[in-house]
Amino acid sequence: MTGLPAYRVWALPGIPEVRTGDDIAKLIASAATADGLPGLADGDVLMVTSKILSKAEGRVVQADDREAAIDAEAVRVVARRGPLRIVENRLGLVMAAAGVDASNTPAGTVLLLPEDPDASARRIRTGLRDTLGVNVGVVVTDTFGRPWRSGLTDVAIGAAGVRVLDDLRGGTDAHGNPLSATVVATADELAAAGDLVKGKAAGLPVAVVRGLSHVVVPDVGAGAGDGAGGADEGARALVRDAADDMFRLGTSEAVREAVTLRRTVREFTDDPVDGGAVRRAVAAAVTAPAPHHTTPWRFVLLESAESRVRLLDAMRDAWIADLRGDGFTEENIARRVRRGDVLRKAPYLVVPCLVMDGSHTYPDARRNASEREMFVVAAGAGVQNFLVALAGERLGSAWVSSTMFCRDVVREVLGLPADWDPMGAVAVGRAAVAPSSRPVRDADAFVSVR
């Protein structure tokens, strides 16, 4: 069986209880050279549990400060269920309670993650080179839960001297098929292998993997330097960029962020708008509440430039005629028309319409007026759903009321039924500039309790 790919992994016994100020590299070197152990060799990779680094670096706080510690370590709440918080911490890691941990630490205390796990890994690697003269890789590990999967596993939160990612894109598989999306998280695989022998409660915080020297980069002391050839990036390279993260938030947090993101956008890029994204937003819109189990929404999608220009030209002419009838000067009219050009700047327009299908007719005008108000409110709820869903698709929008002032013109140009009432127009597109900051509104200012 010789010549087949293989590796060995073993836990390193003899690591004492770690205290603040201890030199982890010296503790590992002493344990690794004990009688009966194989020692360390060039190309070995060490998996080091983050907790011993936290202890050595003094990252210990009192347990009654745990919530405050989580707050201090967290930069963003990803999901919350009861007291449990999944957060992004200051290292960019998404994990429960920001990694603040009450296990394997004296009663009454909790541990924070190392300040900089990559730097911690580099210190251990350098210390082992200086003490034992070996070129090893170091992976700092911590325990994670994972979306879609039950159970916990160790992953890499820090690394030095290890190619943390193995990018196979551009190659082919055994059948000659191109590999276009295959990037292997080598450091995470090493962390999980080490955890199989370290265990969670065995008091064995360090494991050694031998036989995978190809994942270890040249030694810093050999003149190549950390990061030789760009290979030693540290575990931060494993953290997915926000722009590429399709699962960045929990359900309720995603809804709240989409609502917050829903801002009026008046400057758009020329990027085309995905019609599928708009239709998904319409699907969200028609879940809004409505009276009498009706469906009072219709959405007219103006996907061609010709249809947009034809509608906007007709609306502009109708507006100019109204302004002239109101006695405005030609200069004032021109200025108002220019200010109203937000719809022309958008690459996509939607005209939401109200229909009264299913409405009730009453013998008195008061109840009939209230009936229409209910349908108008339902239309507004549908449009709000639509705008929020667009924000969730990372599309900007501006809901402009202009079609409500020339409904007959809109119906004629778009060939709409006589009972469809245009309820403004929504400009849709990619925002050309980031929206200005919005003052925080105190919800209590809008609440009245009886």
Side-chain angles (χ1 to χ4, degrees):
M1 300 292 288
T2 59
L4 294 177
Y7 65 89
R8 290 179 59 199
V9 57
W10 67 90
L12 193 63
I15 303 291
E17 179 65 27
V18 174
R19 293 177 172 81
T20 301
D22 283 348
D23 186 325
I24 298 298
K26 288 183 177 179
L27 294 180
I28 292 174
S30 177
T33 54
D35 290 342
L37 294 179
L40 295 179
D42 288 346
D44 287 348
V45 184
L46 279 74
M47 267 56 66
V48 181
T49 302
S50 65
K51 290 180 178 59
I52 65 171
L53 297 174
S54 297
K55 292 176 182 179
E57 296 172 11
R59 301 281 288 164
V60 184
V61 298
Q62 294 302 307
D64 55 6
D65 292 332
R66 185 171 188 266
E67 292 304 312
I70 295 172
D71 290 340
E73 293 291 297
V75 298
R76 180 175 63 90
V77 175
V78 174
R80 183 192 299 268
R81 182 169 294 175
L84 176 62
R85 281 186 284 172
I86 307 298
V87 304
E88 178 186 345
N89 67 16
R90 55 184 180 72
L91 299 171
L93 304 171
V94 175
M95 57 196 310
V100 178
D101 197 347
S103 64
N104 293 298
T105 186
T109 65
V110 294
L111 295 174
L112 312 183
L113 291 178
E115 188 78 30
D116 184 343
D118 285 335
S120 300
R122 288 193 295 271
R123 285 193 293 271
I124 294 172
R125 187 188 190 208
T126 299
L128 291 172
R129 181 201 69 206
D130 294 343
T131 303
L132 300 179
V134 292
N135 172 34
V136 297
V138 177
V139 175
V140 177
T141 70
D142 199 70
T143 302
F144 270 51
R146 300 150 300 152
W148 313 294
R149 307 284 288 181
S150 295
L152 303 171
T153 187
D154 265 19
V155 302
I157 67 168
V162 174
R163 292 181 173 86
V164 297
L165 293 168
D166 188 8
D167 191 346
L168 303 179
R169 291 173 297 183
T172 57
D173 64 17
H175 298 280
N177 300 310
L179 299 173
S180 58
T182 304
V183 181
V184 178
T186 303
D188 282 347
E189 293 183 326
L190 289 165
D195 191 45
L196 290 173
V197 295
K198 286 189 298 176
K200 301 299 182 189
L204 299 169
V206 179
V208 182
V209 170
R210 178 167 294 172
L212 300 176
S213 60
H214 63 280
V215 306
V216 178
V217 303
D219 180 25
V220 292
D226 263 330
D232 193 4
E233 303 171 277
R236 283 185 179 271
L238 293 162
V239 178
R240 192 185 299 276
D241 290 338
D244 297 326
D245 189 352
M246 295 178 65
F247 309 99
R248 189 163 168 76
L249 293 167
T251 303
S252 58
E253 290 73 22
V255 171
R256 283 195 293 272
E257 179 163 293
V259 171
T260 303
L261 286 173
R262 195 225 57 76
R263 303 289 300 278
T264 296
V265 173
R266 300 188 180 279
E267 297 289 339
F268 299 94
T269 69
D270 294 330
D271 296 340
V273 172
D274 175 15
V278 177
R279 286 164 174 80
R280 289 192 292 273
V282 171
V286 299
T287 65
H292 315 315
H293 305 290
T294 58
T295 54
W297 321 276
R298 303 292 185 270
F299 291 84
V300 184
L301 312 183
L302 305 187
E303 297 188 329
S304 71
E306 187 276 332
S307 65
R308 294 192 295 274
V309 170
R310 187 158 48 90
L311 173 64
L312 295 176
D313 284 351
M315 289 171 56
R316 179 198 58 202
D317 294 343
W319 188 17
I320 290 173
D322 286 343
L323 293 173
R324 284 173 177 157
D326 293 337
F328 285 92
T329 66
E330 294 301 315
E331 182 180 354
N332 282 334
I333 290 172
R335 187 163 53 248
R336 284 171 173 261
V337 169
R338 282 196 301 273
R339 284 203 306 266
D341 265 354
V342 62
L343 296 178
R344 289 188 184 274
K345 298 174 182 177
Y348 198 108
L349 291 183
V350 178
V351 178
C353 295
L354 166 68
V355 296
M356 297 290 291
D357 290 350
S359 62
H360 294 177
T361 301
Y362 299 96
D364 60 279
R366 175 184 58 83
R367 284 190 288 172
N368 284 326
S370 297
E371 181 79 359
R372 179 171 175 79
E373 285 176 353
M374 287 197 305
F375 275 74
V376 170
V377 168
V383 173
Q384 171 68 354
N385 276 11
F386 180 65
L387 300 178
V388 169
L390 288 175
E393 298 276 357
R394 296 299 192 264
L395 287 171
S397 63
W399 186 14
V400 181
S401 62
S402 52
T403 67
M404 299 173 69
F405 292 88
C406 54
R407 284 175 169 148
D408 288 340
V409 171
V410 175
R411 280 191 286 259
E412 180 181 353
V413 172
L414 298 181
L416 305 181
D419 60 346
W420 286 27
D421 276 348
M423 303 297 288
V426 179
V428 182
R430 302 285 176 188
V433 295
S436 58
S437 59
R438 171 188 286 164
V440 176
R441 293 172 179 168
D442 179 8
D444 288 340
F446 302 89
V447 173
S448 180
V449 179
R450 297 289 188 270

